[in-house]
Amino acid sequence: MKYRITHITVYSYSQPVGLCQNEARLQPRNFWRQNCDSSRFEIYPTPVDFHERVDFFGNRVTYFAIQQPHNQLTVTAISEVTVFPKQNTLDLFNQLSWEQVRNLLQETSLQGQSQGQLQSQQGQIQFQNRDQSPELMDAKQYLLDSPMVTVTSELAGYAQPSFQPNRPLVDVVHDLMGRIYRDFTYDPTFTTIATPLSDVLNFRRGVCQDFAHLAIGCLRAYGIAAKYISGYVETLPNPGTQRLVGTDASHAWFSVFIPGSGWLDFDPTNNKVPLDQHITLAWGRDYSDVTPLKGIAYGGGQHTLSVSVDVLRLE
């Protein structure tokens, strides 16, 4: 499946901005599930400094600076991405219990797995220690508290019904995703980036970012590695209605590490496992690691922000 994503961000200022420095994570990743065929920026005013790098998590980051006075900043990112067809593979991952995964992640090495084998109640996963050790070590960073997700007893309490003894981890996460979908109301007016996760849990309201953070906190409370995914999801118009350009939005979901298999994504906002309609921009510990566009502006007074996203399927 091929898509063209157009993401337009406009900052309008009440007073001129003399200098601004910005960092964007608006170019889709390349990995086994997708390929970014092309990506470019259109920035007005034209930046005097512009360069790209790859951050600690492997995300593409673009830095740019504008040094001329301006009352409006427009950043347009246009990308074409191929998402490779994938069937629902939950059964392929459904082998290890959550306790087995927790215990394996808590170990500092794979000592004791001398044959490079891990036994599960429902089958057997074979892997070489030297091949899997880097994956396991990398996954451990997603067990820790992060700037926007701190494990609490309240999160553990909410997650507890999903963590039944000896339950396969995939079943645990699928159940947790469904409970969040049913228990929480999608309400874009309730939260901001600064809203504490405790408020989301107490009031049972939020948006995709909040639901991803909630699931990540619940999983980390039980020793399961989970990371935050930012990206887009294709939204289709209702039958008989015309597709409206620019009415899509950025999206967020989470991913869980399953030793011997890799990372499996879950979308609690839509209660589904992402297949070929989700396009990944970046991933990290939480939203603070993958903010699409952030920066510092000198001057400007008050400002307004508008964002337009269009996800177009290319036949």
Side-chain angles (χ1 to χ4, degrees):
M1 201 71 66
K2 191 166 185 175
Y3 298 94
R4 179 184 296 123
I5 300 105
T6 305
H7 187 136
I8 304 173
T9 306
V10 179
Y11 286 94
S12 299
Y13 304 98
S14 61
Q15 300 175 17
V17 172
L19 167 68
C20 70
Q21 298 177 331
N22 307 274
E23 195 174 76
R25 287 172 174 81
L26 288 169
Q27 296 175 286
R29 291 187 66 124
N30 292 314
F31 65 109
W32 67 270
R33 199 172 68 82
Q34 73 177 32
N35 184 73
C36 181
D37 304 316
S38 65
S39 185
R40 62 186 173 89
F41 282 96
E42 296 176 357
I43 302 173
Y44 182 81
T46 303
V48 296
D49 190 8
F50 183 97
H51 62 262
E52 298 181 0
R53 65 180 178 88
V54 175
D55 71 10
F56 175 82
F57 301 100
N59 304 310
R60 302 171 67 183
V61 184
T62 300
Y63 166 85
F64 62 93
I66 299 171
Q67 296 183 7
Q68 65 185 83
H70 57 280
N71 288 88
Q72 187 175 83
L73 170 64
T74 302
V75 180
T76 303
I78 304 171
S79 304
E80 291 193 0
V81 181
T82 300
V83 179
F84 303 112
K86 186 181 73 168
Q87 297 179 347
N88 193 324
T89 56
L90 283 181
D91 290 341
L92 299 179
F93 287 83
N94 196 12
Q95 301 193 47
L96 297 175
S97 71
W98 69 268
E99 294 98 336
Q100 289 175 304
V101 175
R102 177 201 60 195
N103 294 340
L104 186 57
L105 286 167
Q106 288 178 346
E107 296 175 1
T108 57
S109 68
L110 296 181
Q111 295 176 355
Q113 307 291 337
S114 58
Q115 301 301 316
Q117 298 180 349
L118 180 65
Q119 301 287 340
S120 75
Q121 293 179 343
Q122 299 183 17
Q124 185 182 70
I125 295 177
Q126 296 186 355
F127 55 84
Q128 297 295 322
N129 289 354
R130 62 178 179 273
D131 294 334
Q132 288 298 317
S133 292
E135 277 194 24
L136 283 165
M137 294 303 296
D138 178 72
K140 290 176 186 292
Q141 67 184 309
Y142 299 103
L143 294 170
L144 306 175
D145 286 348
S146 53
M148 302 185 75
V149 180
T150 300
V151 171
T152 63
S153 58
E154 289 76 18
L155 287 172
Y158 177 78
Q160 193 278 326
S162 298
F163 282 84
Q164 297 299 315
N166 300 317
R167 192 176 194 180
L169 177 58
V170 169
D171 288 354
V172 168
V173 184
H174 203 276
D175 181 74
L176 178 64
M177 175 179 68
R179 290 176 52 226
I180 293 174
Y181 177 76
R182 294 187 298 271
D183 293 347
F184 289 75
T185 300
Y186 185 88
D187 184 354
T189 67
F190 179 72
T191 60
T192 68
I193 294 174
T195 301
L197 192 52
S198 57
D199 286 356
V200 177
L201 184 60
N202 290 334
F203 292 96
R204 298 290 203 265
R205 310 183 79 83
V207 294
C208 57
Q209 170 189 308
D210 303 308
F211 303 154
H213 282 158
L214 175 65
I216 290 169
C218 288
L219 292 162
R220 290 178 184 171
Y222 285 83
I224 302 301
K227 63 185 178 183
Y228 183 98
I229 313 290
S230 73
Y232 309 100
V233 61
E234 180 190 25
T235 54
L236 299 176
N238 294 324
T241 61
Q242 185 177 1
R243 178 181 177 274
L244 299 178
V245 176
T247 58
D248 297 311
S250 297
H251 194 47
W253 57 97
F254 70 96
S255 192
V256 175
F257 179 70
I258 302 176
S261 297
W263 292 89
L264 181 61
D265 292 2
F266 293 83
D267 180 355
T269 304
N270 296 298
N271 193 29
K272 66 187 299 184
V273 174
L275 297 175
D276 59 358
Q277 289 182 293
H278 286 66
I279 301 101
T280 298
L281 270 179
W283 59 62
R285 298 165 301 168
D286 59 35
Y287 175 82
S288 65
D289 289 329
V290 300
T291 307
L293 182 62
K294 62 182 178 181
I296 299 174
Y298 296 91
Q302 301 296 318
H303 76 272
T304 59
L305 168 66
S306 66
V307 178
S308 169
V309 176
D310 185 57
V311 180
L312 174 66
R313 183 183 296 197
L314 304 177
E315 298 298 339

